[in-house]
Structures are given as C-alpha cells and as structure tokens.
Amino acid sequence: MTANVAGYLLQMLAGRWLGVAGFSEFASLLAVQLLCAVPALAMQNVVAREVVRGAGLRAVRAMQWRCAALVAAVAVVLIPVVATVLHVSVLAAAAALGAAPALVVLSGEQGILQGANQFRALATVLALAGTARVAPALIALAFGGGSAGALLAAAGGLVAAAFVAGRIVRSATASDSADMLLDGRAATVEPREQTIGVLPVLRAVQVQAALMALSSTDLIVVRIVLDDADASRYSLGTIATKIAFWLPQAVGVVLYPRMAQPTHSARAIRDALSVLSLIGIVAVIGAALAAPLAPLFAGQDYAPIQGMLWIFALHGAMLAVLQGALLSAIAVERTGLAMVTWVGLAVEVALMLAFADSIGSLIGIAVCVAAVTTTIVALVVLRTARNDDGPGR
C-alpha cells in the first residue's frame, strides 16, 4: 500500500509541476518503465513458484542475475527506439529504461520472500522499493530536474533498494523453518538444487508483457492521437486506473503460493477472482464519489476529466481481475492463455489509432477491450480450475 500511495503521489505532483504541456511526456516514460518492469514481475512470480516447489536459494539467485544481465542488454538496444517513438531525449529514454535490471534483482528478492511465506518482510521490501523509487524522483522534480532527472533519480533509488532488499531477505530467511524451505529440505518438498534456466521466466514474461502492454499502451497511443493538453489530461485520468489496478495487489501476492500448490490451486483461484471483483466495484464507486476533488489536487486544467474518473477506475478494476487470472496461469504453468490478451492488445491499438479522437473515445475503447478480454480469460481460468478440482473435491 505504501508503494502504491507513493506512486500516485508522484504522478499527482508531477502533473501539477510539469503542467499539461509536459506531463504527457513524463507519463509516457513511466508507461515505458512499467513495461520494463515486466521481466521483474515475471521474475517474482517464477521465483515464488520455484521456492514453493523446493528450489534452493543459490539456484534461484543464479537465475535472477542471468535474467538481470539479459534485461540490461535489451534495455541498451531499446534506448534509441524509445527516444524516437516518443519524441523524447536519449537521456530521458535511458533514464526510463535504466531501472529495468535493478527491478529484476529487486523482484527476485521479493519472490524469495513470497514463496517462503515471509509476508511481513515482503511488505517491508515493497514499502522500501516504493519509497526509494518515488522520493528521489520527487526531489528531482522539485528542483526542476524534469522528466529525465526524475526518472534517473528513481533508477538510482531502485538500485539502492535492491541492495537493501538482499540483506532483508538474508535476515528473514535465517530461521530454521525458512532455511528448510529455501534449501529444499522441507518435509513436504523434495530437494531440488539443480540449475534453473531462464526459460520459465521467459514464458512468464510473455504473460506479464501482455497484461502490462494492455494496461499501458493507451498512455503511448495518446501522444499520437491527441494534442499535448488532452494527452496530459488523459494521462492524469489514468491515475484512477492505476489505483483500481494496483489497490488489490496484495490479493495476488498472498494467494499466489497457494495457486502454485496443486492441492490448493483451484480454491485459491476462485477466491482471488471473487475478491478482486468485489474490490473493483468498491474502487469504481469510490472514484465516482471522489471525482469532484480531482481539480483541487491536480489543478483546474484537469477539470474536464473529473466526470470520467469512474470510467478510468472501471478500466483498472477489470485489468486487476485479468491480472489475477493470468497470475493463476503462471502458477500452474499454463501460460498459453496469454494469447487472448495479446489479441486484445492488437485490437485495442488498431481501434484507438483508427477511431480515437478524444479523451472519451480513447478510454471507451480501452474499457470495452479490457471487458471482453477479461471475461474470456476469467471464464477459461474458472472452467479449468473447476476441472482440476475434480468431482470428488
């Protein structure tokens, strides 16, 4: 929760300090940074799953560093591409992409804690990561550092957070019970110390990539189809989307280890989707009630979007349910289901580029595509879970 609140604070203050003329660039680069976090999210899920199944700490960490090196190489190649597509400086693009390797390492440490059910230590690391990313960025913005300076400061904060997270993991897993689990010596888990390849991470990456792309592509397309002022207003509206999307993140974090256990998977999946749907309804109602306060925090330039904030929240709520469904696919290694999301992404981009010419039409397309995609994926996941549960359970 601390990390999410810090992220929303960063965007609200950036929207005020950068104004409608400059915020769309910052928001688009944040969207790029979110896409760069895809390998990190996949890393956490795979590490947690492997720890639940008895992988050793040494094998997990070796996979973590191999993936971080691979991500760093890809990030270097993408810098000129991002700079060209988004019409930003090379420095700004490098600052956005530079956080990717640190995020992979940090998420690997989080995955160890998650798989070992060390949720108190995990909460500490998550709060640390959010603060370390946001506080330096806010300081940079306050001193006129602009988008590039803020993102560069955030990347530095994440490097420091990854280092501290490693120390927290070592301390949290020092107990006898945690050592038994992490070394594969738990009574219910067979020892498994062999090398873990990067292929499981790559399969999980394409699932996470589909979700993050579907939740972030509108922030990139908006700079193509709308003018700077409306693009900035739309970008600020997506704060409501992000709140509804990330608010129930703890549901997946807590239930994911159960999803990865065959004996508990089906029940955990049903519980997760039910809770996520309920929280989504609350988030949409909350956005509708709080909408009149938006201009007070962001400025009167953003008043035109206050009546649409509940639609942005609806978008995020549906994506949160989709995230829960796709997490269950990673947990049981049925990652082919992500193809539905990739198709939804292609349809969304095509419709936006062809028909979106206003804030309302852009978010309307995003909501419709998310609704159809989430419904299909959730129905498939629930049907599969029911089949796995079996008639005798």
Side-chain angles (χ1 to χ4, degrees), residues 187-252:
T188 58
V189 181
E190 291 295 326
R192 198 157 60 84
E193 293 295 336
Q194 69 265 28
T195 300
I196 304 173
V198 299
L199 186 59
V201 179
L202 293 178
R203 286 197 293 263
V205 162
Q206 65 95 14
V207 179
Q208 293 286 1
L211 175 65
M212 291 300 103
L214 190 64
S215 66
S216 303
T217 299
D218 57 335
L219 281 169
I220 297 174
V221 175
V222 70
R223 285 180 60 83
I224 300 173
V225 299
L226 300 182
D227 60 40
D228 286 344
D230 277 348
S232 290
R233 293 186 182 103
Y234 183 94
S235 299
L236 196 75
T238 60
I239 294 178
T241 302
K242 292 180 175 63
I243 291 174
F245 181 45
W246 293 111
L247 181 65
Q249 185 182 20
V251 175

Side-chain angles (χ1 to χ4, degrees), residues 69-260:
L70 181 61
V71 166
V74 173
V76 171
V77 174
L78 288 178
I79 289 174
V81 177
V82 170
T84 301
V85 171
L86 296 185
H87 308 291
V88 299
S89 68
V90 172
L91 178 61
L97 292 164
L103 280 170
V104 169
V105 175
L106 178 60
S107 294
E109 303 298 328
Q110 292 170 181
I112 294 171
L113 295 173
Q114 183 180 4
N117 291 314
Q118 296 282 342
F119 293 117
R120 182 174 298 179
L122 177 59
T124 300
V125 171
L126 289 172
L128 168 69
T131 304
R133 179 175 67 90
V134 171
L138 285 176
I139 293 172
L141 285 172
F143 283 92
S147 298
L151 291 168
L152 191 60
L158 286 171
V159 170
F163 174 79
V164 176
R167 298 182 66 87
I168 292 175
V169 168
R170 290 181 181 88
S171 174
T173 56
S175 66
D176 291 340
S177 58
D179 282 342
M180 288 177 65
L181 177 60
L182 291 172
D183 290 337
R185 299 194 302 273
T188 58
V189 181
E190 291 295 326
R192 198 157 60 84
E193 293 295 336
Q194 69 265 28
T195 300
I196 304 173
V198 299
L199 186 59
V201 179
L202 293 178
R203 286 197 293 263
V205 162
Q206 65 95 14
V207 179
Q208 293 286 1
L211 175 65
M212 291 300 103
L214 190 64
S215 66
S216 303
T217 299
D218 57 335
L219 281 169
I220 297 174
V221 175
V222 70
R223 285 180 60 83
I224 300 173
V225 299
L226 300 182
D227 60 40
D228 286 344
D230 277 348
S232 290
R233 293 186 182 103
Y234 183 94
S235 299
L236 196 75
T238 60
I239 294 178
T241 302
K242 292 180 175 63
I243 291 174
F245 181 45
W246 293 111
L247 181 65
Q249 185 182 20
V251 175
V253 170
V254 172
L255 291 178
Y256 183 82
R258 287 175 54 199
M259 292 179 187

